[in-house]
Amino acid sequence: MQTSPQFTIAELDELVLAARDGCKVARASLLKLLSECLWADMHSRQTMRPPGPSHGLSDLVQDTLTAVAEKFSRFNRGTFAEFKQWSFLILHRRRKQWIRNYLHRNDAARREQIGWLLRDRLARHGESVSDVLQRRQEAHRAQSIFEGLDVNEQFVIRLRAVEDRRFVEIGRLTERSEDAARVAYRRAIRRLKELFEADDQN
């Protein structure tokens, strides 16, 4: 385990025990050290912009620290390594929830984009109103089918097909290797095609 240059492993473990015993100074020091660990981890995994303007790294780190502080009374282990592992589980849960929120928040924006595309097609190609309405119905159908995917499949497709992210970026955002991100995208697309085919048969 990589330790802070200020503390030895034994001193870090003593800090954890002191914080569990109710020492506010020890708890504050513990959270400060955790913040450094979280920042180091996030920067090593995510060197590009995060998914969406409201998903800044500083917000995610602060949200995790707040959750750790609120739940600290539930932590019943005695070492810094265990505390760090417990805290990172909270970080990853928060990250997954932010992905879900990101997908949900962008539904309205995506529908608005579809509307602009339809108006653009009408202006450039002289389509009739009925043609536009049909395209809009198909867009709503596609959106409904897309939402039949699980959250992780939606996220991978959104990053690649909508945001045009590289697979190396997708891997970092989803905590996969570049090759694993490519495989995940292909599987998600295959699953999406299966849902479209099933809907066509209904």
Side-chain angles (χ1 to χ4, degrees), residues 20 54 67 82 122 153 160:
R20 284 190 55 201
S54 60
E82 290 168 325
L122 180 62
E153 290 171 333
R160 179 62 178 172

Side-chain angles (χ1 to χ4, degrees), residues 100-189:
R100 293 189 185 97
N101 292 342
Y102 168 67
L103 291 170
H104 176 73
R105 268 198 306 274
N106 282 270
D107 281 346
R110 185 169 53 256
R111 290 192 177 97
E112 184 178 352
Q113 288 175 347
I114 290 171
W116 280 107
L117 287 172
L118 289 171
R119 285 189 287 273
D120 182 58
R121 279 182 171 273
L122 180 62
R124 287 191 295 122
H125 301 294
E127 292 176 319
S128 67
V129 173
S130 62
D131 289 334
V132 174
L133 290 176
Q134 183 177 355
R135 289 183 183 277
R136 182 175 288 121
Q137 289 173 350
E138 283 299 308
H140 286 307
R141 170 177 174 260
Q143 173 64 22
S144 177
I145 293 173
F146 180 75
E147 290 173 352
L149 297 172
D150 69 34
V151 170
N152 292 324
E153 290 171 333
Q154 290 183 41
F155 188 51
V156 169
I157 291 176
R158 182 78 56 76
L159 291 174
R160 179 62 178 172
V162 178
E163 299 189 8
D164 196 29
R165 303 273 189 145
R166 295 175 299 145
F167 283 112
V168 64
E169 292 181 311
I170 296 172
R172 288 170 181 157
L173 288 168
T174 58
E175 299 182 346
R176 294 181 173 96
S177 67
E178 180 179 352
D179 288 340
R182 185 177 284 104
V183 171
Y185 173 72
R186 289 173 180 168
R187 287 177 177 170
I189 289 295

Side-chain angles (χ1 to χ4, degrees), residues 6-150:
Q6 304 170 1
F7 300 95
T8 65
I9 292 177
E11 289 171 338
L12 288 171
D13 293 345
E14 290 175 3
L15 196 64
V16 170
L17 293 175
R20 284 190 55 201
D21 287 340
C23 178
K24 294 182 179 179
V25 174
R27 181 179 294 193
S29 298
L30 201 59
L31 290 175
K32 184 176 184 299
L33 289 171
L34 177 62
S35 176
E36 295 172 359
C37 292
L38 293 176
W39 272 111
D41 179 77
M42 296 302 291
H43 280 300
S44 67
R45 293 176 183 271
Q46 205 167 295
T47 57
M48 78 302 292
R49 70 188 191 282
S54 60
H55 286 63
L57 295 181
S58 61
D59 290 339
L60 181 54
V61 170
Q62 187 56 49
D63 184 47
T64 301
L65 290 172
T66 299
V68 168
E70 292 174 350
K71 300 174 185 291
F72 187 74
S73 60
R74 304 179 192 177
F75 177 69
N76 56 9
R77 302 296 180 86
T79 69
F80 183 78
E82 290 168 325
F83 171 71
K84 184 178 174 181
Q85 182 181 30
W86 175 74
S87 300
F88 270 70
L89 286 175
I90 294 176
L91 169 67
H92 297 317
R93 291 193 192 104
R94 283 291 188 276
R95 202 157 178 258
K96 289 179 181 179
Q97 185 59 51
W98 281 35
I99 289 173
R100 293 189 185 97
N101 292 342
Y102 168 67
L103 291 170
H104 176 73
R105 268 198 306 274
N106 282 270
D107 281 346
R110 185 169 53 256
R111 290 192 177 97
E112 184 178 352
Q113 288 175 347
I114 290 171
W116 280 107
L117 287 172
L118 289 171
R119 285 189 287 273
D120 182 58
R121 279 182 171 273
L122 180 62
R124 287 191 295 122
H125 301 294
E127 292 176 319
S128 67
V129 173
S130 62
D131 289 334
V132 174
L133 290 176
Q134 183 177 355
R135 289 183 183 277
R136 182 175 288 121
Q137 289 173 350
E138 283 299 308
H140 286 307
R141 170 177 174 260
Q143 173 64 22
S144 177
I145 293 173
F146 180 75
E147 290 173 352
L149 297 172
D150 69 34

